[in-house]
Amino acid sequence: MRTRSGSLYSNNGGEVSVGQKRKRTASPMGHSAVAGECAGGGRRKRLAGGPDYLDVLPDDLVLSILSKLAASASAPSDLLSVHLTCKRLNELGGHDMVFAKASAASLAVKAAAWSEPAQRFLKRCADAGNLEACYILGMIRFYCLGSRSSGAALLARAAVGGHAAALYSLAVIQFNGSGGAKSDRDLRAGAALCARAAALGHVDALRELGHCLQDGYGVRRDPAEGRRLLVAANARELTLALAAAAASRHPFAAALPLGAAAAAGAGGCPLLSDFGWSLPEAEPHAANQFMVDWWASRGAQAAAAKKPGTGGDSDGDGAELRLCSHVRCGRRETRRHEFRRCSVCGAANYCSRACQALDWKRAHKAQCVPMDRWLLAAANAGEAAPQ
């Protein structure tokens, strides 16, 4: 029998002639040497001059395999290692189909490792139609690199494709008029984008839209519907927390009642405290974590380089531009006094009502100034009481 490459194999278990260069005798069991290697050693070695089985596979099948690998990649190195294997995989690994299927974990670029090649990688994935890459690169360009137009265009592309986080981010931009003047705010457009993201199940969008309906912010006031959306946000958040706990196979300590969890020392964010439960804080999105780390490193550099008597201005390098007080958000103002302050203490700044609600139950409830005033007033009252 003759193969496509011209190798000749005997059917009677005798000699095996490969390319008419080598001869191998049959084994005592009557099998060829190649079959003996496969059965005994557990590995198959390609004979000299024999066929290359990778070259035999059609391109469509290899692209399908590489796309599955990209969709399940846990780090960017999983994709880059493919390009180092051979020339054919290097060529096929650069196909748009592979970059379009890149997983969210493979796109999670760290702020400390940010470089021009990292930006090109995200841009390549975004050009291939990867919505997650469009969202991450859009957030980085809009809030970190100062490229407002290109960042907003990437966010819009992801939003058109149905990316819930991109829809919510555009809603925040519309609510604040980010990248423009205060007169550029469009509350109705922000509420419409927020409603679209909420329909896709985005927790922050559900919470934001609930507060908008309760306050009549950009929409007609409807406290009952706003309360229903806030409850739906809590239920959705609980569902995601239970699913994450089941996937990690760790005991869900936050499923204890709030008092028992506190007594057991279990940490968490009591977002469902109205129902007697405490949820662990969800991991921030890769884009938010990038912005948090980015501004933390830039803040340290700015503090070291800041000269006495020089204040920040409002056009870009802005030392006076404030970050959202929710530590897992990472958004920064694009102009001075863009974010809303806490109406009680005025010390905290928030890009959205969702971030304010999260930070209130996470930390700000105990940090707000009136608490200190109440304690001080109680102490003064105790001292002034008659003996």
Side-chain angles (χ1 to χ4, degrees):
M1 180 178 66
R2 187 177 298 276
T3 64
R4 289 179 59 186
S5 62
S7 303
L8 183 63
Y9 296 90
S10 62
N11 295 327
N12 56 3
E15 292 185 347
V16 178
S17 176
V18 181
Q20 304 297 331
K21 293 183 180 181
R22 299 176 61 185
K23 290 185 178 181
R24 297 196 179 191
T25 57
S27 63
M29 299 296 294
H31 298 288
S32 65
V34 176
E37 286 180 359
C38 294
R43 294 186 302 175
R44 181 172 57 190
K45 297 180 179 179
R46 185 165 62 91
L47 299 176
D52 188 346
Y53 297 106
L54 180 60
D55 291 339
V56 176
L57 296 176
D59 289 349
D60 294 343
L61 180 58
V62 178
L63 280 175
S64 178
I65 295 173
L66 292 178
S67 298
K68 292 289 186 181
L69 172 64
S72 60
S74 59
S77 58
D78 294 343
L79 293 178
L80 298 178
S81 60
V82 172
H83 296 266
L84 302 177
T85 305
C86 64
K87 182 178 179 180
R88 188 185 182 202
L89 290 184
N90 183 32
E91 294 175 354
L92 294 178
H95 197 276
D96 285 348
M97 184 187 300
V98 179
F99 286 107
K101 296 292 184 179
S103 64
S106 65
L107 300 173
V109 180
K110 304 296 182 183
W114 181 251
S115 60
E116 189 61 31
Q119 184 170 193
R120 285 200 303 268
F121 170 71
L122 289 177
K123 183 65 166 60
R124 184 70 177 83
C125 294
D127 291 340
N130 192 305
L131 299 182
E132 185 71 11
C134 290
Y135 172 67
I136 294 177
L137 185 57
M139 292 289 284
I140 292 174
R141 285 187 174 180
F142 190 89
Y143 285 104
C144 298
L145 303 182
S147 302
R148 315 290 186 203
S149 58
S150 63
L154 287 169
L155 290 175
R157 188 192 306 176
V160 169
H163 196 279
L167 285 164
Y168 174 69
S169 295
L170 287 177
V172 173
I173 291 174
Q174 292 293 333
F175 280 138
N176 297 323
S178 301
K182 185 176 181 179
S183 58
D184 294 328
R185 295 188 302 170
D186 192 340
L187 304 185
R188 297 187 64 180
L193 289 167
C194 205
R196 177 59 180 161
L200 296 175
H202 194 269
V203 176
D204 290 339
L206 282 168
R207 184 171 285 113
E208 181 78 17
L209 187 60
H211 286 291
C212 288
L213 286 168
Q214 284 189 329
D215 302 337
Y217 190 76
V219 292
R220 180 177 297 177
R221 190 170 182 269
D222 190 346
E225 181 65 14
R227 177 63 180 170
R228 187 191 69 82
L229 288 176
L230 292 178
V231 173
N234 289 331
R236 175 69 175 169
E237 192 173 31
L238 177 60
T239 302
L240 295 176
L242 289 173
S248 60
R249 296 183 180 181
H250 289 303
F252 188 40
L256 297 172
L258 182 60
C269 184
L271 296 176
L272 293 181
S273 56
D274 293 338
F275 306 97
W277 302 86
S278 179
L279 285 180
E281 288 188 276
E283 290 296 324
H285 192 277
N288 296 97
Q289 188 61 52
F290 182 96
M291 293 189 296
V292 169
D293 297 339
W294 177 275
W295 294 121
S297 61
R298 295 307 186 276
Q301 296 174 5
K306 186 177 180 181
K307 298 179 181 180
T310 59
D313 33 33
S314 58
D315 58 357
D317 58 348
E320 293 183 1
L321 298 181
R322 303 165 300 181
L323 289 171
C324 179
S325 295
H326 181 38
V327 295
R328 296 200 170 193
C329 175
R331 290 181 176 87
R332 195 184 74 155
E333 293 178 324
T334 59
R335 66 175 186 276
R336 295 178 60 186
H337 309 302
E338 175 185 337
F339 292 165
R340 292 180 292 271
R341 292 174 180 255
C342 174
S343 59
V344 180
C345 67
N349 315 286
Y350 299 105
C351 66
S352 62
R353 284 169 169 79
C355 280
Q356 184 176 7
L358 288 169
D359 192 57
W360 173 259
K361 293 190 175 184
R362 181 186 180 277
H364 191 59
K365 185 177 182 179
Q367 299 172 353
C368 205
V369 171
M371 182 67 69
D372 298 334
R373 291 178 180 173
W374 295 336
L375 294 176
L376 183 59
N380 293 336
E383 293 177 358
Q387 300 294 331

